């Protein structure tokens, strides 16, 4: 049976900072929204809590099956109150829940549907189409997506086209004054992910908005910029 250190993927002599970093990485990997399972998610949480409570290599590892119930207390400890496990740290940054506009079209959904993201969560979509990640403060949304191994469309990366456009369904994402979006698109919540950064703790955005007709009028050929970047 794996020890808490093995579950988090760290050495027993790792320092507190490395353990917290490993916990955050594993939580993202096994989160049900990222293709993991509730069982794996709880195992990671429990492993971190046991390490925080002082687990050492060689200590007995309890049955991870929740149905097994807690271990009985020893006679000399029966009257002692149980220590509360340390609360696992929340992932750093601003939570971004995302959905591909193509999925909205394919599923016959509407961008204005108030239950859009609830429907997406129940639709068994792949991670590239629907999921969540955390963006650092002041980090452009496109950059945050790429840091999480997502491949969203873009071209100029400077606010001069709409290839990277997203629709902000919930939350706030201000935009610099210099961009090509006309007022009517900006008022509808369209933002350019290459130059706009989330400021709300929880965001819901639809990416791949280049397929929206009004947005498509301001597209640029992506290949021109990709070739330029590859030659640098």
């Amino acid at each position: 049976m794996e020890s808490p250190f093995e579950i988090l993927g760290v050495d027993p002599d790792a320092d507190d900072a490395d353990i917290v970093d490993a916990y955050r990485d594993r939580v993202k990997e096994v989160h049900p929204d990222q293709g993991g399972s509730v069982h794996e998610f709880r195992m990671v949480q429990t492993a971190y809590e046991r390490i925080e409570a002082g687990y050492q290599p060689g200590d007995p590892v309890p049955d991870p099956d929740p149905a097994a119930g807690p271990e009985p207390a020893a006679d000399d400890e029966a009257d002692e109150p149980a220590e509360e496990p340390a609360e696992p740290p929340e992932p750093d940054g601003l939570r971004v829940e995302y959905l591909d506009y193509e999925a909205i079209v394919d599923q016959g959904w509407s961008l204005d549907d108030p239950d859009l993201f609830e429907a997406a969560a129940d639709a068994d979509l792949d991670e590239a189409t629907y999921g969540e990640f955390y963006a650092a403060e002041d980090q452009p949304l496109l950059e945050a997506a790429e840091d999480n191994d997502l491949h969203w469309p873009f071209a100029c990366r400077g606010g001069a086209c709409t290839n990277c456009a997203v629709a902000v369904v919930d939350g706030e994402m201000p935009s610099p004054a210099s961009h090509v979006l006309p007022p009517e698109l900006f008022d509808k919540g369209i933002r350019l992910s290459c130059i706009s950064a989330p400021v709300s703790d929880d965001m819901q955005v639809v990416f791949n908005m280049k397929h929206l007709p009004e947005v498509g009028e301001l597209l640029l050929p992506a290949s021109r910029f990709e070739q330029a970047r590859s030659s640098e």
Side-chain angles (χ1 to χ4, degrees), residues 98-101 133 140-146 150-168 173 175-176 178-181 185 189-197 205-212 215-222 225-226:
Y98 62 87
L99 176 63
D100 191 339
Y101 181 72
F133 59 82
L141 183 64
L142 176 61
E143 179 183 306
E146 291 172 337
L150 296 171
H151 305 286
W152 290 6
F154 70 89
C156 72
R157 302 184 82 99
C161 69
T162 55
N163 294 54
C164 69
V166 300
V168 177
M173 192 164 74
S175 179
S178 178
H179 59 77
V180 299
L181 287 175
L185 285 180
I190 303 299
R191 300 290 186 270
L192 302 180
S193 63
C194 68
I195 60 172
S196 302
V205 300
V206 175
F207 73 97
N208 219 5
M209 293 300 297
K210 66 179 183 177
H211 296 293
L212 191 69
V215 175
E217 297 174 2
L218 297 170
L219 293 177
L220 288 178
F225 295 92
E226 290 171 354

Side-chain angles (χ1 to χ4, degrees), residues 16 31 33 55 60-61 70 122 128 138 152 165 196 200 213 219 222 225 228:
D16 290 344
H31 195 284
D33 289 341
Y55 174 87
V61 180
D122 294 335
D138 301 321
W152 290 6
S196 302
S200 300
L219 293 177
F225 295 92

Side-chain angles (χ1 to χ4, degrees), residues 152-156 221-232:
W152 290 6
F154 70 89
C156 72
S223 58
R224 169 186 168 193
F225 295 92
E226 290 171 354
Q227 291 169 4
R229 284 169 60 83
S230 63
S231 64
E232 292 177 354

Side-chain angles (χ1 to χ4, degrees), residues 79-120:
D79 297 329
E80 295 182 9
E83 291 186 6
E84 290 291 332
E87 192 70 23
E90 291 292 330
D92 287 334
L94 310 174
R95 177 180 174 273
V96 178
E97 189 177 7
Y98 62 87
L99 176 63
D100 191 339
Y101 181 72
E102 285 190 336
I104 296 178
V105 176
D106 293 342
Q107 298 285 343
W109 297 332
S110 169
L111 190 60
D112 299 325
D113 187 343
D115 298 322
L116 176 61
F117 278 81
E118 287 80 355

Side-chain angles (χ1 to χ4, degrees), residues 2-42:
E2 289 184 306
S3 73
F5 291 106
E6 291 172 327
I7 292 173
L8 294 190
V10 295
D11 293 329
D13 58 354
D15 59 28
D16 290 344
D18 288 338
I19 290 172
V20 170
D21 287 343
Y23 168 73
R24 288 172 174 159
D25 288 342
R26 288 288 290 138
V27 160
K28 293 177 183 178
E29 290 173 6
V30 303
H31 195 284
D33 289 341
Q34 302 296 329
S37 68
V38 173
H39 176 69
E40 291 176 309
F41 188 76
R42 289 176 177 168

Side-chain angles (χ1 to χ4, degrees), residues 62 68-78:
E71 297 180 3
D75 291 341
D76 58 348
E77 299 176 354

